[in-house]
Structures are given as structure tokens and as C-alpha cells.
Amino acid sequence: MRALRFGFIGCFALLAALTLGVSSADAATVVALGASNTYGKGVARNQAYPAQLEAILRAKGLNVHVVNAGINGDTTEGMLQRLDQAVPNGTRAVVLQPGGNDRRKGSPDRTADIQSRLSARGITVIMLSNGMLGGLPHQPDGVHLTPEGYHMLAQSLASQVSGAIGR
């Protein structure tokens, strides 16, 4: 009887794992595209806003995967050049955070080109301007957010993202 009970529980666990695997494959993809504040410079990967955004949306019952496509020091020219690779077909929304590296590096602002290419692919673009970072807690460098700041940012983006993915 003990072996039979274990077999039933084992089968149930296997079924649950398979079901979770199917739902993960069907997850809506959201890409966070940007520079260091998207990447999460100075904090652990699970503390950057894309990871926290995914956790918030999943806690609300949404089947979503948020990809962190942030690169420290990136410019909008760099984002445009890697756009097709960073944003796979089937992506539902992109949170675009151009950052301040264009101005700092004397690079042209290609934000409009990025938005245009994503819109042509039917992908919703949610703009994350540097102004949204202003009142949030920052690290001592005054540029990058603390884990708490990234959490506050993720909370403020959650309703826009959930609306963009259809719920």
C-alpha cells in the first residue's frame, strides 16, 4: 500500500510538472530593453526591475516571462542594432528605457527608430523615461536604483505591462 501511495503521489507530481512546463512555454514574453538601469547595475539579477516585474505579474496570476535585455552603457544605436536578436518573434511588449548614454557618448537618439520597428512588428512599446526614476531610491552613485527603487519601478510598470499583454 505504501508503494501504491508513493506511485500515485509521484504520478501527480509528474503531471503537475508537465502542466507547469506547458504553461511556461505558453507564457507571454515581455522584453525589458535598455541600458544599466534595465540591466540592474549594482544589484543582483533578481533585484533588477525586469525580474521583480515578472514576480509581481506572476503573483497576480499572469503567465509571463520578462526578459532582461539591458546592457550597461548601451546607447539607443546599440539597442537598435541588436533589436531583432534581443526581441524575439512573438514578444507581446517591450519596456524601452533609452537611458542617458546617447547624450553622454554623443550618440544620436534612435528611440523613434526602435519604436517604429517594434510597432511594425505589432509589439506594444512601453516607454520608461529617465524622469520615472527621479523620485525613487538611488544607489550612492545617484544614477542607478537600489533594490527597493527597482521594486517601486516594477510596481509602477505592472499595470501597463499587464494591459499590454492582454489582461
Side-chain angles (χ1 to χ4, degrees):
M1 185 73 165
R2 183 171 266 165
L4 188 59
R5 235 183 278 152
F6 178 76
F8 175 74
I9 292 170
C11 287
F12 183 75
L14 179 61
L15 180 61
L18 290 173
T19 303
L20 287 174
V22 169
S23 74
S24 293
D26 294 340
T29 300
V30 175
V31 175
L33 180 66
S36 56
N37 266 313
T38 297
Y39 175 78
K41 184 174 181 179
V43 302
R45 293 308 94 220
N46 67 342
Q47 295 174 323
Y49 92 79
Q52 294 200 47
L53 177 60
E54 180 176 310
I56 289 167
L57 294 172
R58 285 185 173 267
K60 291 182 176 192
L62 295 173
N63 187 11
V64 63
H65 177 60
V66 180
V67 177
N68 187 337
I71 294 179
N72 287 328
D74 206 4
T75 61
T76 55
E77 179 68 36
M79 292 174 213
L80 183 62
Q81 288 176 4
R82 65 187 175 89
L83 189 64
D84 292 333
Q85 186 176 11
V87 182
N89 288 335
T91 298
R92 301 279 271 296
V94 168
V95 179
L96 178 58
Q97 186 258 326
N101 294 319
D102 287 347
R103 189 173 6 158
R104 190 172 58 80
K105 294 181 176 184
S107 182
D109 182 354
R110 303 295 301 270
T111 303
D113 297 318
I114 295 168
Q115 289 174 304
S116 176
R117 283 194 33 201
L118 291 170
S119 294
R121 291 174 58 191
I123 299 171
T124 300
V125 179
I126 299 167
M127 285 302 301
L128 174 54
S129 68
N130 287 335
M132 290 182 70
L133 309 177
L136 301 174
H138 282 73
Q139 296 175 38
D141 68 6
V143 176
H144 302 99
L145 299 179
T146 63
E148 296 78 22
Y150 286 123
H151 183 73
M152 293 167 71
L153 179 59
Q155 285 180 313
S156 71
L157 290 168
S159 63
Q160 289 179 343
V161 172
S162 64
I165 62 173
R167 185 153 176 222

